[in-house]
Amino acid sequence: MKPVESSGAKQATQHSSDESSGNEQSSGSHAHYIEATMQWVDDVVIHHNFCPFASFVRTPNQIHCCVIAGNTGDVLEALFEELKRLDNADDIATTLIILSNTSFTDFNEYLDVLSIAEAMLHDWGFSERYQLASFHPQYVFEGNSIDDSENYTNRSPYPLLHIIRESDITRYMKNEEDAQKIYTHNIAKANELGCPYFEKTLSSIKQAKNNKDSTK
């Protein structure tokens, strides 16, 4: 599910465990966030082949999800723990950290924590083994307007930090041409489908969560 942000791809640009500590949410409250995110993986990312190797880690399910309700400090703590988990868990291919704190619905706030997370990835000594991909409901690529369809290649139901193993990127993308082909396909497919399609799809995914919440 990696957004191809290299080999000519555009970069993101800023646009105008739940315990008392505020960390990972309890299983009862975080289930809907995970369900919505995995439905997006199935219905958007895999269905439209935005990431040609996502299906290989989806079945069998090697995707680990965690939901973090806290602030930037909590997110960074969770990121460190998830990186250590990946170091010691061969049965997990990739991790999605879902940020449920409403402050991160602001794309600028999200980009701030993303920038810090990327810096810490290097400082902690993980940058040669892992990289972060970014997804957000209001994602906007650098140079795009907010209404461009191609932004939806990186728009998810909730803000995400996606931890990817460098070894998997090397395995599935042998050279820069592979990355460019993915990028070109994604932009063309997003423009073909158009904003109304993605808006309806993401709204439907989130509405399913809201309906479940209302029945409690």
Side-chain angles (χ1 to χ4, degrees), residues 44-89:
V44 177
V45 178
I46 293 177
H47 181 69
H48 296 300
N49 201 31
F50 283 155
C51 177
F53 47 88
S55 59
F56 294 104
V57 298
R58 183 68 171 108
T59 307
N61 189 10
Q62 296 176 293
I63 303 172
H64 174 68
C65 294
C66 69
V67 181
I68 305 302
N71 58 21
T72 297
D74 298 313
V75 173
L76 295 176
E77 180 181 347
L79 174 63
F80 183 73
E81 292 302 320
E82 293 305 326
L83 289 164
K84 291 197 300 181
R85 187 199 302 271
L86 284 168
D87 266 354
N88 295 290

Side-chain angles (χ1 to χ4, degrees), residues 8-214:
K10 298 178 180 178
Q11 301 296 315
T13 183
Q14 291 195 355
H15 186 83
S16 19
S17 351
D18 187 29
E19 298 174 353
S20 58
S21 63
N23 276 339
E24 191 170 350
Q25 290 186 311
S26 62
S27 58
S29 60
H30 74 196
H32 299 323
Y33 289 97
I34 294 175
E35 289 170 6
T37 298
M38 294 311 298
Q39 185 179 346
W40 165 75
V41 169
D42 291 336
D43 295 353
V44 177
V45 178
I46 293 177
H47 181 69
H48 296 300
N49 201 31
F50 283 155
C51 177
F53 47 88
S55 59
F56 294 104
V57 298
R58 183 68 171 108
T59 307
N61 189 10
Q62 296 176 293
I63 303 172
H64 174 68
C65 294
C66 69
V67 181
I68 305 302
N71 58 21
T72 297
D74 298 313
V75 173
L76 295 176
E77 180 181 347
L79 174 63
F80 183 73
E81 292 302 320
E82 293 305 326
L83 289 164
K84 291 197 300 181
R85 187 199 302 271
L86 284 168
D87 266 354
N88 295 290
D90 293 337
D91 59 329
I92 300 175
T94 192
T95 297
L96 295 172
I97 301 177
I98 305 166
L99 312 184
S100 65
N101 189 315
T102 55
S103 66
F104 296 123
T105 59
D106 183 290
F107 191 43
N108 291 338
E109 293 290 336
Y110 169 80
L111 289 180
D112 286 344
V113 74
L114 173 65
S115 178
I116 297 171
E118 289 176 331
M120 296 310 299
L121 194 73
H122 177 270
D123 291 349
W124 291 330
F126 288 105
S127 58
E128 292 186 359
R129 301 195 301 280
Y130 304 100
Q131 68 173 252
L132 292 177
S134 51
F135 299 89
H136 189 276
Q138 302 299 324
Y139 206 98
V140 179
F141 285 110
E142 184 178 4
N144 280 13
S145 72
I146 194 172
D147 296 323
D148 286 343
S149 298
E150 60 198 66
N151 295 321
Y152 282 95
T153 64
N154 285 60
R155 288 190 179 179
S156 51
Y158 300 100
L160 302 176
L161 295 178
H162 178 201
I163 310 173
I164 311 168
R165 297 182 187 270
E166 287 284 359
S167 59
D168 286 341
I169 296 172
T170 301
R171 181 185 310 159
Y172 292 110
M173 291 194 293
K174 301 301 183 183
N175 51 56
E176 289 189 3
E177 286 186 5
D178 292 334
Q180 186 61 42
K181 287 178 182 177
I182 295 171
Y183 171 72
T184 302
H185 164 270
N186 288 355
I187 299 307
K189 175 58 71 171
N191 287 329
E192 173 191 335
L193 293 169
C195 291
Y197 166 81
F198 288 107
E199 290 168 357
K200 181 178 179 180
T201 300
L202 290 173
S203 176
S204 176
I205 289 172
K206 293 188 71 172
Q207 187 60 45
K209 172 191 177 299
N210 293 335
N211 288 343
K212 288 183 179 180
D213 289 344
S214 66

